[in-house]
Amino acid sequence: MASQSSITVKLPTIQLPTFDGNYSGWIRFWDTFTSLVHESDLSDVQKFHYLNSALKGPAARVIQSLGVSDSNYHIAWVALKSRYENSAALRKHHVTALLDITIIQKQSPIALRELVDDARNHLAALRSLNEPVDSWDSLIVPILCRKLDGASLREWEKKATSSDRVAFNNFATFLEERSLYLENITPQGQITVARVNPPVGFAGNRRPFHSTTHVTSSPGNCPACGSVHPLFKCDKFKSLPIEEKTRVVQTSQTCFNCLQPGHRVKACTRNHCDLQ
C-alpha cells in the first residue's frame, strides 16, 4: 500500500495595514487591525508592538508618549479610537472626497476605472457610517457625470435617456464596460513622445527652401546630375548659377568649401572653395 505524503502549503504573509492619520484610511485600518491583531490571542505587549509599527505620522504621535507595556496597549487603543472614530469628521471627509473626484480631461480607460473605484470606496465608507447611500443615486450619478470626459458623457447620455431613475450600480457598470472598450481599441505599446527642440545648427532649425533641381541620387552619385562622379567634377553643377549651386550643396549636405560629403565647412581641411 502506497504511503500518503502530506503536502504543506505555505500561505503568503498577510501585511498589516498602516495608518497615517488620513481619515480616508481609518475604517479599513480599524477593521483589518481589529481582525488580525486586536482580537487575536497575542499578548497585549505584542499587540502594542504591532500597533506601533502600523502607525505613521500624526497617528503615531497620538500614542508616542506611552511606553510599550501590557497595561498601556488598551490606553493606546482607546486614544486612537477616540481621535479618529469621529463620525462627523469621517462623513465630511468622504462626502468632500466624493465631490472632489478629479475631472477626466481626456478619455482614458485608467481614469474611468479610478473614478469608479474612488466613488465605490467613499460610498462604502459612508454606508459603514450608517448613511443611506443606496437612496442617493439621483444625486451621486449627476455629480459623477460632471467628472467625465466629453466623449464618455455623450455615450452615457445616449444610454440613460430611456430611464427615469438611474442606479449608481448601472452607471458604474457602464463606466467599466467603456473602460474595457477603450482599452481594447488602444494600440498596445503606444508611446507618446514629447517634441524636443533640435540643437542649434541642426538642419531642422533652418528655413525650408524649394529647389528647382530635383535629382535622386544614391550614395556615391553626383547630387546635381545623378552620374557616378563627385560633385566638384560635375560639369552640370559648374554651369549652374550660384543660387542653384548653393541649393544643391544644402540639399546634399556636402561641404560648401570642398564639395565633398561627410563633413561641414568648419571641419574642412581644404584651403580653397570649389563652390565658385
Side-chain angles (χ1 to χ4, degrees):
M1 181 177 179
S3 60
Q4 294 182 344
S5 59
S6 60
I7 300 176
T8 302
V9 178
K10 184 178 180 181
L11 296 176
T13 303
I14 299 176
Q15 296 292 329
L16 283 177
T18 59
F19 179 62
D20 61 2
N22 190 324
Y23 279 109
S24 63
W26 168 249
I27 294 176
R28 179 177 297 177
F29 170 78
W30 175 265
D31 289 343
T32 307
F33 193 89
T34 297
S35 61
L36 294 180
V37 178
H38 185 67
E39 295 179 350
S40 71
D41 294 330
L42 295 171
S43 67
D44 284 347
V45 70
Q46 288 175 314
K47 293 177 183 179
F48 204 158
H49 278 295
Y50 280 117
L51 184 61
N52 260 333
S53 64
L55 299 180
K56 312 294 179 185
R61 289 195 290 271
V62 174
I63 64 170
Q64 68 180 2
S65 62
L66 297 174
V68 178
S69 66
D70 281 332
S71 58
N72 279 343
Y73 170 70
H74 287 284
I75 297 174
W77 188 241
V78 171
L80 197 65
K81 185 177 179 181
S82 299
R83 173 68 62 86
Y84 293 105
E85 198 164 278
N86 182 334
S87 297
L90 288 170
R91 287 188 183 94
K92 180 180 178 181
H93 169 81
H94 288 291
V95 169
T96 301
L98 198 58
L99 295 173
D100 290 344
I101 287 177
T102 304
I103 296 174
I104 301 174
Q105 301 293 340
K106 183 179 180 181
Q107 60 180 357
S108 159
I110 296 175
L112 289 175
R113 285 200 182 100
E114 288 178 348
L115 187 150
V116 174
D117 291 342
D118 288 346
R120 280 178 171 159
N121 288 337
H122 293 305
L123 289 173
L126 289 166
R127 185 181 290 108
S128 71
L129 294 168
N130 298 318
E131 289 296 324
V133 297
D134 294 327
S135 63
W136 291 359
D137 291 340
S138 298
L139 178 65
I140 296 299
V141 173
I143 288 174
L144 295 179
C145 279
R146 301 184 66 179
K147 310 296 183 179
L148 297 180
D149 61 276
S152 297
L153 179 59
R154 285 192 294 272
E155 291 300 315
W156 168 249
E157 294 294 347
K158 292 178 186 177
K159 187 179 182 67
T161 51
S162 60
S163 177
D164 294 333
R165 182 177 180 274
V166 179
F168 168 75
N169 287 337
N170 294 339
F171 178 71
T173 299
F174 161 78
L175 294 183
E176 289 173 334
E177 291 174 350
R178 179 158 179 80
S179 174
L180 183 61
Y181 164 74
L182 292 175
E183 193 173 66
N184 288 338
I185 65 172
T186 301
Q188 294 295 321
Q190 184 177 10
I191 301 174
T192 302
V193 181
R195 293 186 62 184
V196 180
N197 291 331
V200 176
F202 185 73
N205 274 350
R206 293 200 296 266
R207 291 177 58 191
F209 54 84
H210 302 282
S211 175
T212 56
T213 304
H214 301 283
V215 177
T216 302
S217 61
S218 59
N221 287 5
C222 173
C225 68
S227 300
V228 183
H229 58 240
L231 181 61
F232 64 87
K233 290 186 177 181
C234 180
D235 292 333
K236 179 179 179 180
F237 176 75
K238 292 177 181 179
S239 65
L240 293 174
I242 188 65
E243 293 83 3
E244 287 299 312
K245 287 181 179 178
T246 301
R247 289 173 181 172
V248 171
V249 172
Q250 287 179 327
T251 54
S252 61
Q253 296 186 352
T254 53
C255 174
F256 272 89
N257 186 50
C258 68
L259 301 182
Q260 296 190 54
H263 63 272
R264 298 293 186 181
V265 174
K266 290 183 179 180
C268 187
T269 58
R270 299 284 293 273
N271 294 325
H272 66 279
C273 177
D274 290 331
L275 186 60
Q276 300 296 331

